[in-house]
Amino acid sequence: MAAAAEVVHQQGAERTTIADIARAADVPVGNVYYYFKTKDELVAAALAEHARHLRDLTERLERLPDPRERLKGLVETWVGGRDLAARYGCPTGTLAAELDKRDEGGLDAEAGRVIRLLLDWVERQFRELGLPEPDGLALTLVGAYQGMSLLANALRDPAIMTREGARLVGWLDSLGGSSGA
């Protein structure tokens, strides 16, 4: 699943083959076919891996006692992935955009569910801070990430992630609200 997520992120769903996944995982093609009969199953596995990665990240961030620090830690993680973002964009965001262009449905909604996991977690952090409209603030923060990731990718400039990440941390610091849980 990790190989599927990596290759789909780098090549996109439409260009990725089961042979590409086998090569990345260093296993025979037959082994991949055993687990993934179709490309859609492979893409679903990549999305599940993105969701698992997001859960692992948010669980690590939950160890921080302050929701503002958790949000800043999230931004720092995004900035830490600036080289990958500049080369391939956001793993889930770019996949969601690609899947939305397909005639057949289903996987685009699954990509949306992964993004919803992030939005919900971010909203909870803003809610813990006691800020008004935590859902809108979550959209602003996640939307800013998607935008900076897209621009860094389009311009092949990881410094965009660094600059915009610093701007987001400053924005988070400027918001009112309480500290602590």
Side-chain angles (χ1 to χ4, degrees), residues 17 35 44 46 82 89 112 119 132 135 166 172 179:
T17 66
Y35 292 102
R82 65 188 165 273
L119 281 167
D135 56 335
L172 289 167
S179 293

Side-chain angles (χ1 to χ4, degrees), residues 5-57:
E6 180 182 339
V7 175
V8 168
H9 180 210
Q10 292 174 357
Q11 296 181 182
E14 297 310 317
R15 288 184 42 215
T16 298
T17 66
I18 290 181
D20 294 332
I21 303 304
R23 198 169 20 265
D26 197 27
V27 298
V29 173
N31 288 16
V32 178
Y33 274 112
Y34 180 79
Y35 292 102
F36 308 109
K37 305 292 186 235
T38 66
K39 183 181 277 196
D40 280 1
E41 288 179 6
L42 188 139
V43 172
L47 286 166
E49 185 66 13
H50 293 318
R52 186 196 61 75
H53 177 74
L54 178 59
R55 279 191 299 277
D56 290 350
L57 171 61

Side-chain angles (χ1 to χ4, degrees), residues 77-129:
T77 299
W78 291 338
V79 172
R82 65 188 165 273
D83 292 330
L84 277 175
R87 182 66 185 102
Y88 305 111
C90 166
T92 308
T94 55
L95 185 54
E98 180 181 359
L99 293 172
D100 189 53
K101 291 175 177 52
R102 288 174 147 197
D103 288 336
E104 63 274 8
L107 288 173
D108 55 337
E110 186 59 33
R113 280 190 280 280
V114 176
I115 292 171
R116 174 54 61 193
L117 290 172
L118 176 61
L119 281 167
D120 290 347
W121 184 85
V122 170
E123 181 180 338
R124 279 193 303 277
Q125 306 316 303
F126 284 122
R127 184 169 279 110
E128 278 188 45
L129 286 168

Side-chain angles (χ1 to χ4, degrees), residues 78 119 122 126 133-147 168 171:
W78 291 338
L119 281 167
V122 170
F126 284 122
E133 298 185 47
D135 56 335
L137 292 170
L139 281 171
T140 298
L141 183 63
V142 174
Y145 164 61
Q146 290 299 322
L168 287 174
W171 173 69

